[in-house]
């Protein structure tokens, strides 16, 4: 049993590429596990309590429940549009979840890990998290405003579990995926864990705490939200089911790297306190940038998943996100790269393989695929490759490394395209070598049949279309079985499943437009040469200018440069070879003539001359 979960999403904000990506990762794992014969439970949902929800509801003049009813539906509709195959959707306002939170609170309290106190400190409302001074940058948490909070609070003894967490990390090497994220968590724990405030009294939209006679406390939203994973596994209501899904299951939590600490520190500590098994894997993915820039509303570059699906189709969108990203690292969303992936991988490689095969079949044998003749070494090699790919894909999928899994599948697709060129069916037909031609054509159909299944967790609708064109009506297979494409199958009508996208040149120009751009003719007028510094002196009545006498290879020139602040001992520059623009109009600066410009670099407000190797002769021209 595989228990796969997304974080539950906050319905106060519009879903974007990041939330879509997390859910697509989960869905892809779930679909691959089912394909390989595993039983799967796939949970997602919405996190519907907290101060932000209450404030938004008041602003929109509705009750918090009315607000989350409306907003949660947007996520349900989005998952349908992205072909998400979750078999449960949890909302933290459901009674089943409220009951689970109360059970966990009581369990942790009975074990002595919840106590009453007072919280004084900073709180980030937009992220619904308490923050320490060390987490602030310029007075903000992750660029978000924080407020001062002082109120009675229940506390969870998080500090008690620091050593136990470190020990668990050490003993469970695959608990954090990718593994490099583990070092960040260890460093954070070693700074010293503070007990966690787990209740609020300044607002009332949340699950009430009924542990003592102290009233008016509601559960801190993260303690509430994280418990949803237990709710989905029917903790406390169905012991047999919970044992099957949780205690005996292989549990995957997928999260963005920004909420890894909640899932890999607070959540495991809560479970340790309650005496419940920890999840097997916390998978933390990176962020998406857009054309190299961080997504933000102010920049107007937030990617809307629905718009991208309408533009390119859900399969192409899913394929790009999975193929373009390396798990754990940030990835970049680019329209140009999307088009390249669609054209190269889907249209050229996979689509072309299918179209060529269908076309040759109809030309040589008609609509019915003949039984294979005797296989040769080349076919045996292809089937060996398929078995290798089959194992490699599952290995990569278990690591949630879908980019590498797809790369492995595409090795097989590329091999089959090469197989056509190697066997040259057109020559076999001309030579009337029909026995060999039957083997070649059957092998092509059998491998495309298998590839259709291997890509189906990503290219959901397209894989079905491929199978239909192969004449497969009953879309079921044992992927481990070789040569099970049924002979004498009548193929369907061929039509392009992945049409190429032809972008107009203007569209690329608009995307690549550079502010204050110059053309090549303008640039070619600039003459840059290597010069040697012969003498350096300060310029009287200037606190920033240095006067350089340089050798250009033909003459000596005087050049002024405003870099005095960056060189404490400018005389050490004598004898250095640097770059200079020599065809500038001379200018007079504070009574001194400057006959050129020395080129510099600037990094972190530190300016340096561009020095050239001694091997380069004075007067050498910079070429482009």
């Amino acid at each position: 049993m595989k228990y796969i979960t997304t974080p539950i999403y906050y319905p106060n904000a519009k879903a974007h590429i990041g939330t879509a990506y997390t859910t697509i990762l989960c869905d892809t794992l779930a679909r691959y596990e089912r394909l390989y014969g595993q039983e799967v439970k796939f949970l997602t949902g919405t996190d519907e309590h907290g101060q932000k929800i209450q404030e938004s509801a008041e602003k929109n003049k509705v009750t918090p429940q009315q607000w989350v009813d409306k907003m949660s539906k947007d996520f349900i509709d989005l998952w349908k549009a992205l072909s998400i195959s979750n078999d449960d959707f949890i909302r933290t306002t459901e009674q089943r979840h409220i009951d689970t939170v109360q059970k966990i609170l009581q369990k942790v309290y009975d074990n002595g890990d919840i106590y009453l106190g007072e919280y004084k400190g900073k709180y980030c409302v937009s992220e619904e998290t308490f923050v320490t001074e060390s987490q602030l940058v310029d007075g903000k948490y992750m660029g978000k405003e924080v407020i001062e909070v002082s109120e009675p609070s229940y506390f969870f003894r998080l500090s008690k579990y620091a050593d136990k967490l470190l020990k668990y990390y050490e003993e469970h090497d695959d608990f954090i995926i990718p593994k490099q994220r583990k070092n960040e968590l260890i460093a954070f724990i070693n700074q010293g864990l503070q007990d966690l405030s787990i209740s609020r009294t300044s607002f009332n939209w949340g699950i009430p705490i009924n542990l003592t006679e102290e009233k008016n406390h509601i559960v801190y939203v993260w303690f509430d939200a994280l418990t949803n994973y237990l709710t989905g596994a029917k903790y406390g209501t169905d012991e047999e089911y919970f044992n099957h899904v949780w205690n005996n299951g292989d549990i995957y939590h997928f999260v963005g790297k920004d909420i890894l600490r909640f899932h890999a520190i607070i959540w495991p500590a809560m479970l340790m306190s309650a005496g419940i098994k920890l999840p097997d894997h916390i998978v933390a993915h990176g962020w998406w940038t857009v054309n190299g820039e961080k997504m933000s509303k102010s920049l107007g570059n937030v990617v809307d998943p629905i718009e991208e699906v309408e533009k390119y189709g859900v399969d192409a969108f899913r394929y790009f996100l999975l193929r373009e990203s390396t798990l754990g690292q940030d990835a970049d969303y680019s329209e140009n790269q999307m088009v390249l992936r669609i054209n190269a991988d889907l249209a050229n490689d996979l689509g072309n393989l299918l179209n060529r095969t269908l076309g040759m079949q109809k030309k040589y044998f008609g609509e019915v695929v003949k039984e294979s003749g005797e296989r040769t070494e080349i076919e045996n090699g292809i089937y060996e490759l398929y078995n290798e790919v089959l194992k490699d894909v599952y290995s990569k999928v278990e690591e949630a490394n879908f980019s590498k899994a797809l790369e492995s599948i595409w090795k097989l697709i590329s091999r089959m395209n090469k197989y056509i060129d190697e066997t040259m069916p057109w020559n076999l037909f001309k030579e009337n070598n029909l026995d060999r031609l039957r083997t070649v054509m059957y092998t092509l159909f059998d491998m495309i049949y298998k590839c259709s299944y291997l890509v189906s967790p990503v290219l959901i609708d397209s894989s079905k279309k491929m199978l239909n064109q192969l004449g497969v009506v009953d879309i079921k297979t044992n992927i481990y079985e070789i040569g099970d494409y049924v002979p004498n199958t009548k193929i369907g009508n061929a039509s392009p499943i992945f049409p190429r996208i032809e972008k107009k040149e203007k569209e690329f120009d608009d995307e690549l437009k550079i502010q204050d751009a110059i053309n090549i003719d303008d640039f070619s007028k600039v003459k840059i040469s290597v010069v040697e510094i012969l003498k350096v002196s300060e310029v009287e009545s200037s606190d920033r200018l240095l006067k350089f006498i340089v050798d250009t290879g033909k003459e000596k020139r005087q050049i002024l440069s405003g870099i005095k602040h960056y060189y404490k001992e400018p005389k050490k520059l004598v004898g250095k070879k640097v770059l200079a623009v020599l065809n500038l109009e001379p200018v007079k600066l504070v009574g001194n003539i400057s006959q050129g410009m020395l080129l510099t670099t600037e990094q972190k407000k530190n300016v340096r001359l561009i020095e050239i190797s001694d091997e380069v002769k004075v007067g050498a021209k910079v070429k482009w």
Side-chain angles (χ1 to χ4, degrees), residues 120-133:
K120 290 184 178 180
K122 292 181 169 57
Y123 188 78
C124 180
V125 176
S126 64
E127 297 297 320
E128 294 286 10
T129 183
F130 301 98
V131 295
T132 62
E133 289 290 343

Side-chain angles (χ1 to χ4, degrees), residues 451-504:
C451 285
S452 299
Y453 285 105
L454 284 180
V455 300
S456 63
V458 181
L459 305 174
I460 300 159
D461 294 332
S462 301
S463 62
K464 293 174 183 176
K465 292 176 183 178
M466 290 174 64
L467 289 167
N468 287 335
Q469 291 190 19
L470 295 175
V472 178
V473 178
D474 185 16
I475 304 179
K476 293 179 182 178
T477 189
N478 177 355
I479 57 171
Y480 298 100
E481 201 171 304
I482 292 172
D484 65 336
Y485 179 78
V486 179
N488 300 317
T489 294
K490 183 179 179 181
I491 62 175
N493 295 321
S495 61
I497 297 173
F498 309 104
R500 285 182 58 83
I501 298 177
E502 301 297 338
K503 291 204 72 176
K504 297 177 182 178

Side-chain angles (χ1 to χ4, degrees), residues 81-272:
L82 294 177
S83 299
I84 303 302
S85 63
N86 58 294
D87 46 32
D88 197 359
F89 186 95
I90 195 163
R91 297 178 58 186
T92 57
T93 51
E94 293 178 67
Q95 191 61 46
R96 60 168 173 160
H97 176 69
I98 293 170
D99 292 343
T100 304
V101 173
Q102 299 288 12
K103 289 186 179 80
I104 293 300
L105 278 170
Q106 192 66 52
K107 187 89 170 176
V108 175
Y109 178 76
D110 290 344
N111 289 339
D113 286 337
I114 293 178
Y115 63 92
L116 266 172
E118 185 175 6
Y119 179 81
K120 290 184 178 180
K122 292 181 169 57
Y123 188 78
C124 180
V125 176
S126 64
E127 297 297 320
E128 294 286 10
T129 183
F130 301 98
V131 295
T132 62
E133 289 290 343
S134 63
Q135 292 175 284
L136 299 178
V137 177
D138 295 330
K140 295 182 178 181
Y141 175 69
M142 297 177 62
K144 309 289 179 60
E145 297 291 339
V146 297
I147 60 173
E148 291 287 343
V149 174
S150 178
E151 60 185 10
S153 178
Y154 283 96
F155 284 83
F156 169 58
R157 298 186 194 277
L158 181 62
S159 59
K160 172 181 174 180
Y161 291 93
D163 290 340
K164 291 181 180 180
L165 286 167
L166 293 173
K167 187 172 185 290
Y168 191 84
Y169 294 165
E170 183 180 348
E171 293 175 350
H172 298 81
D173 194 44
D174 59 350
F175 178 58
I176 307 297
I177 300 175
K179 293 177 182 178
Q180 61 264 30
R181 292 279 175 213
K182 181 166 66 174
N183 294 331
E184 301 170 15
L185 298 169
I186 292 171
F188 185 80
I189 292 172
N190 284 335
Q191 290 175 6
L193 290 183
Q194 304 295 316
D195 287 352
L196 178 69
S197 172
I198 62 164
S199 72
R200 301 294 307 277
T201 58
S202 56
F203 62 97
N204 58 18
W205 181 241
I207 299 173
I209 297 180
N210 301 312
L211 298 173
T212 67
E213 293 182 358
E214 179 78 17
K215 301 301 180 184
N216 302 320
H217 286 257
I218 59 168
V219 182
Y220 169 48
V221 68
W222 274 103
F223 203 100
D224 166 1
L226 290 163
T227 308
N228 91 90
Y229 306 126
L230 295 177
T231 305
K234 300 185 181 181
Y235 174 80
T237 61
D238 189 331
E239 185 176 349
E240 183 179 352
Y241 185 84
F242 183 74
N243 281 332
H244 179 59
V245 172
W246 192 275
N247 290 332
N248 299 318
D250 190 14
I251 304 167
Y252 282 80
H253 293 330
F254 281 77
V255 299
K257 65 181 181 179
D258 53 323
I259 57 173
L260 177 60
R261 289 178 187 173
F262 296 97
H263 283 78
I265 294 178
I266 296 174
W267 177 228
M270 288 167 56
L271 293 171
M272 287 175 176

